[in-house]
Amino acid sequence: MLIFTKLFIVLFTIIAMECFSWFIHKYLFHGPLWFMHKSHHQKAKSFFEWNDLFAVLFAMLSLYLMYTDRDGFGYKFFIGLGITLYGIIYFVVHDWFVHRRFKTFKSNNAYLQAVRKAHKIHHKNRGKEKGKAFGLLFVRKNLIRK
């Protein structure tokens, strides 16, 4: 498999994960899986939340894909790698920057500030219903200050 094909699969997977994450966040996390996700919309009682189990499930999926294709480095390996990279991006942007689970990362970058603002719009509503802004990396243009 050509390096460009591998890179395309990884980049496509990262973009697809953002779209998939928006969908499952809106229709599953704020739907039948609310019993786990609601911990993320409440004041934290500890460092870990029930919602963190979703990250563990995605990590297991990506590791499974990479492990099963470790000898051939085929498309499954690179899909797993894309899921892993999305997870790292999500952790840095969402947990580290937006929610400041670690207090070491600040930025005045207009895009990152728009991501934070969109996420605050989402968390303004603490309930299951009437949520807005379910994505993370794709934000509306009007939130980006110039």
Side-chain angles (χ1 to χ4, degrees):
M1 192 182 318
L2 294 172
I3 187 76
F4 294 111
T5 305
K6 295 173 184 178
L7 185 60
F8 175 79
I9 292 171
V10 170
L11 292 175
F12 179 83
T13 301
I14 291 169
I15 294 167
M17 281 301 296
E18 174 65 6
C19 298
F20 182 64
S21 294
W22 177 91
F23 180 84
I24 64 172
H25 187 185
K26 182 171 182 162
Y27 295 107
L28 294 179
F29 293 0
H30 283 257
L33 297 177
W34 177 251
F35 70 98
M36 286 175 60
H37 182 64
K38 72 179 173 182
S39 68
H40 183 62
H41 285 266
Q42 298 169 339
K43 187 158 178 67
K45 296 174 184 155
S46 70
F47 185 76
F48 293 104
E49 308 168 347
W50 279 105
N51 188 65
D52 293 333
L53 288 176
F54 294 120
V56 172
L57 293 172
F58 280 113
M60 289 172 38
L61 172 64
S62 65
L63 289 172
Y64 171 78
L65 289 168
M66 290 190 290
Y67 181 79
T68 59
D69 209 6
R70 70 191 179 281
D71 295 328
F73 290 104
Y75 73 94
K76 288 191 285 186
F77 180 87
F78 293 99
I79 291 172
L81 181 60
I83 295 170
T84 298
L85 291 174
Y86 179 78
I88 292 168
I89 293 166
Y90 192 93
F91 172 76
V92 169
V93 173
H94 180 265
D95 291 323
W96 201 343
F97 177 69
V98 172
H99 285 289
R100 299 214 171 145
R101 281 176 120 171
F102 305 98
K103 308 282 189 225
T104 58
F105 179 41
K106 291 183 178 182
S107 175
N108 289 324
N109 176 277
Y111 167 73
L112 289 176
Q113 290 299 321
V115 168
R116 171 178 271 146
K117 188 172 187 177
H119 205 70
K120 284 185 179 192
I121 289 169
H122 176 72
H123 277 271
K124 195 172 191 178
N125 174 22
R126 294 213 176 258
K128 177 180 173 181
E129 308 293 332
K130 300 179 183 173
K132 294 180 181 177
F134 291 95
L136 180 68
L137 301 176
F138 301 153
V139 295
R140 294 188 329 252
K141 285 183 184 180
N142 66 333
L143 295 177
I144 301 175
R145 63 175 163 74
K146 295 178 181 175

